[in-house]
Amino acid sequence: MKAMILAAGKGERMRPLTLHTPKPLLPVAGKPLIQWHMEGLRQAGVTDLVINHAWLGEQLEAHFADGAALDVTIKWSPEGEPLETGGGIFKALPLLGDQPFVLVNGDIWTPFEFAGLQLPAGKLAHLVLVDNPSFKTQGDFVLVQGDVRNPSGSAQALTYSGLAVLHPQLFEGQQGGAFALAPLLRQAADAGRVSGEYFAGPWVDVGTPERLADASRLAQGA
């Protein structure tokens, strides 16, 4: 199985740290944030990686090159214009092939073990869900006996962690350009074609300098 790491965000909430450094290269416990994902995927046997980039992306390519130093193989998917999450994945599909692939948001930190991730038969997506962080009062999806559903009624919704397995067929009918991933996931959830799991371990959405510091503290204890 291949994996795609999303690394095209501009990291505006991280300024001034990201004025001259792309967010994925910001250090967490002494190593670039994105490198934690690369090493975690490699430990799970996932060594074929596709990484998109935009803002200061040439720094990412210069730092990691083809990935040989980390015993992975990296194919880069540069974006000349903002494509959002869905558009960025769609552009990279020729590099990912026609089989399910792991998707990792590059701006999170977690010691999640990728080895157990899989896509059940008949599903278009499998999402890893976590408890809602303090800065987010409402969740994204409801998990019911392994199925992911859109929120309704009083059911407690959880937050999408930024970790998933997707099937390329999720993007059938898309024409390219900039578009979000969330509407595709919600449509597939309504059709009963999204599964999920709950992760109770450490997880940080590294969206601010304060949360970058939180990730470093957790990583030092991992």
Side-chain angles (χ1 to χ4, degrees):
M1 187 182 293
K2 295 183 179 181
M4 180 173 185
I5 304 177
L6 300 172
K10 198 168 184 178
E12 293 184 353
R13 291 177 298 165
M14 295 291 286
R15 290 183 175 182
L17 299 179
T18 51
L19 286 176
H20 304 290
T21 303
K23 186 199 272 191
L25 283 184
L26 294 177
V28 171
K31 72 177 81 171
L33 172 59
I34 195 173
Q35 186 172 328
W36 288 90
H37 299 313
M38 295 178 183
E39 293 176 353
L41 289 164
R42 183 194 64 208
Q43 290 170 5
V46 181
T47 58
D48 290 332
L49 311 182
V50 175
I51 304 175
N52 68 339
H53 65 71
W55 174 250
L56 302 176
E58 66 280 359
Q59 292 187 31
L60 281 169
E61 291 204 34
H63 189 95
F64 293 107
D66 62 359
L70 293 175
D71 293 324
V72 297
T73 300
I74 300 174
K75 293 183 179 178
W76 298 96
S77 181
E79 299 176 8
E81 58 181 347
L83 295 178
E84 300 187 54
T85 301
I89 299 170
F90 183 84
K91 181 180 184 296
L93 285 180
L95 301 174
L96 290 163
D98 58 2
Q99 297 300 309
F101 57 91
V102 178
L103 181 70
V104 182
N105 282 8
D107 58 358
I108 63 169
W109 181 86
T110 177
F112 180 86
E113 296 184 1
F114 294 98
L117 273 181
Q118 59 182 343
L119 185 66
K123 302 296 185 181
L124 293 175
H126 179 85
L127 309 182
V128 178
L129 304 177
V130 297
D131 290 324
N132 301 327
S134 60
F135 57 86
K136 183 177 180 180
T137 57
Q138 295 184 329
D140 302 310
F141 297 98
V142 176
L143 184 61
V144 181
Q145 296 181 340
D147 283 331
V148 168
R149 302 174 184 174
N150 290 307
S152 63
S154 60
Q156 177 62 46
L158 297 168
T159 288
Y160 168 50
S161 68
L163 305 172
V165 181
L166 303 183
H167 197 291
Q169 290 178 354
L170 179 69
F171 297 87
E172 282 189 354
Q174 298 301 311
Q175 302 299 316
F179 63 90
L181 175 63
L184 301 184
L185 294 176
R186 295 202 179 283
Q187 183 178 7
D190 282 338
R193 302 196 67 185
V194 181
S195 61
E197 62 186 87
Y198 170 69
F199 177 64
W203 175 87
V204 181
D205 177 346
V206 187
T208 66
E210 293 76 18
R211 285 184 241 150
L212 181 67
D214 289 342
S216 285
R217 283 192 292 269
L218 288 169
Q220 288 167 355

